[in-house]
Amino acid sequence: MRRDRRSEPRRYDGNVAVVTGASSGIGRRLALDLAERGATVVGLARRLDLLAEVEAILRSSTPNSSTRGCDVGDTASYQRVLGSIEEDHGLIDVLINNAAVEQLTPAVDGLSAAYRHIFDVNVFGVVAGTLAVMPAMVARRSGIVVNVSSDSARAPEPGHGAYAASKAAVAALEAVAHEVAGRGVHVHVLYPAWVPTAMGMSGVDDGGSLPPKAVRRSEAEVSALVLRRMGGSRMEINAATLPLLAPIGRSIAPRSYQRAMRHRAG
Ligand SMILES: NC(=O)c1ccc[n+]([C@@H]2O[C@H](COP(=O)([O-])OP(=O)(O)OC[C@H]3O[C@@H](n4cnc5c(N)ncnc54)[C@H](OP(=O)(O)O)[C@@H]3O)[C@@H](O)[C@H]2O)c1
């Protein structure tokens, strides 16, 4: 990866980048921005109609870019897809494990199928992708993985137990980052703040309120931050700093924190 002069956006010419969840939202923006900056991008998701539109735009930037239908929750098939991308392109320089699902999982509903589905996609998908590319990256002493977590991991919201727990698991995969840091491979955990994508807006559409301005970010802002930071020495990529205070607030004022959360639970 080549860094241009400070004022110019970083380029990814000649790199092969895989982005999951490329059919919409943050993943789509990241895929398009990576291609615009010279990377050959392979975008993965399930909605083929949306992927076809993304592919056309990707190819206008880098003609070897493509998209493929892939359910990352089917870990064997996701790993097969990554293997075939490595065969087709020779290697994967960058993997962005961005795909995820979010669904309300009220405790009173018991152990619904949603828990397993959310963990299959949000956790096992990320684990499968990370571990599939790791041997080749470590052998080459080069590579970048960005695993997308959420501030829900730091401040779990009532009613969102499965999603918050899945994103906490992704955050804890930081263990892999430390394991391979000395071997030329960068594994980052991204906390995108709140972004008005389909997923971001679902909480608002369900009657929730917009989060404070301090944690609102656009898809373009999150993408620009990731493309600037990935491959650098900071393991965490935080789109907003306010949520970093949540665990501190919880430990120094536990009663107030719990009262606020009880209020949100209604
Ligand atoms: N928006 C926010 O405020 C926010 C905040 C914190 C973290 N995040 C995280 O940011 C990431 C991107 O979310 P977003 O906001 O951009 O939401 P989004 O617009 O709903 O995008 C989610 C993407 O994941 C893909 N996906 C879902 N299940 C999949 C599966 N089984 N296999 C493959 N792809 C799958 C979807 O594509 P298909 O349906 O076509 O498969 C879609 O492209 C997620 O990890 C999310 O948890 C978002």
Side-chain angles (χ1 to χ4, degrees):
M1 273 131 267
R2 182 164 64 81
R3 270 188 194 281
D4 284 333
R5 288 205 308 276
R6 278 185 92 90
S7 55
E8 291 172 11
R10 185 175 167 182
R11 300 281 311 172
Y12 288 88
D13 298 293
N15 284 173
V16 176
V18 177
V19 182
T20 71
S23 60
S24 65
I26 298 167
R28 181 181 189 276
R29 189 69 264 155
L30 275 164
L32 299 183
D33 288 351
L34 273 162
E36 202 171 287
R37 295 190 193 186
T40 295
V41 175
V42 184
L44 307 179
R46 295 162 305 168
R47 285 171 292 175
L48 301 181
D49 51 337
L50 296 182
L51 284 180
E53 287 170 26
V54 171
E55 182 170 292
I57 309 173
L58 290 174
R59 286 189 187 222
S60 66
S61 299
T62 47
N64 288 334
S65 289
S66 60
T67 57
R68 299 190 193 186
C70 174
D71 178 350
V72 302
D74 178 346
T75 51
S77 110
Y78 177 33
Q79 290 198 318
R80 270 198 304 277
V81 168
L82 289 172
S84 80
I85 294 168
E86 277 178 331
E87 270 174 32
D88 291 351
H89 293 278
L91 81 178
I92 295 171
D93 296 289
V94 176
L95 171 64
I96 303 188
N97 276 312
N98 161 81
V101 284
E102 153 73 307
Q103 201 179 319
L104 274 173
T105 48
V108 290
D109 288 357
L111 181 56
S112 66
Y115 261 88
R116 198 161 291 279
H117 177 58
I118 288 172
F119 267 69
D120 279 343
V121 176
N122 298 10
V123 181
F124 290 108
V126 170
V127 171
T130 304
L131 300 186
V133 297
M134 208 43 65
M137 287 186 175
V138 168
R140 276 199 322 271
R141 299 190 67 83
S142 157
I144 297 173
V145 174
V146 179
N147 290 330
V148 182
S149 181
S150 163
D151 292 318
S152 303
R154 294 166 166 154
E157 296 258 359
H160 295 265
Y163 179 76
S166 74
K167 291 300 183 177
V170 171
L173 266 188
E174 152 181 354
V176 177
H178 301 310
E179 193 180 330
V180 299
R183 300 194 235 173
V185 181
H186 301 269
V187 178
H188 299 280
V189 181
L190 168 67
Y191 297 85
W194 181 84
V195 185
T197 60
M199 186 186 291
M201 289 306 294
S202 64
V204 179
D205 295 342
D206 287 346
S209 49
L210 275 175
K213 269 199 176 142
V215 301
R216 292 187 216 159
R217 296 290 180 274
S218 68
E219 293 158 18
E221 284 170 329
V222 173
S223 171
L225 178 72
V226 172
L227 299 201
R228 205 164 56 241
R229 289 277 181 78
M230 68 180 188
S233 57
R234 282 195 227 168
M235 191 274 297
E236 271 186 16
I237 303 176
N238 290 294
T241 46
L242 187 65
L244 294 170
L245 301 175
I248 299 168
R250 185 163 54 217
S251 67
I252 61 176
R255 288 215 184 114
S256 312
Y257 187 90
Q258 283 163 220
R259 242 193 330 271
M261 280 298 169
R262 257 204 306 276
H263 179 69
R264 287 183 82 90

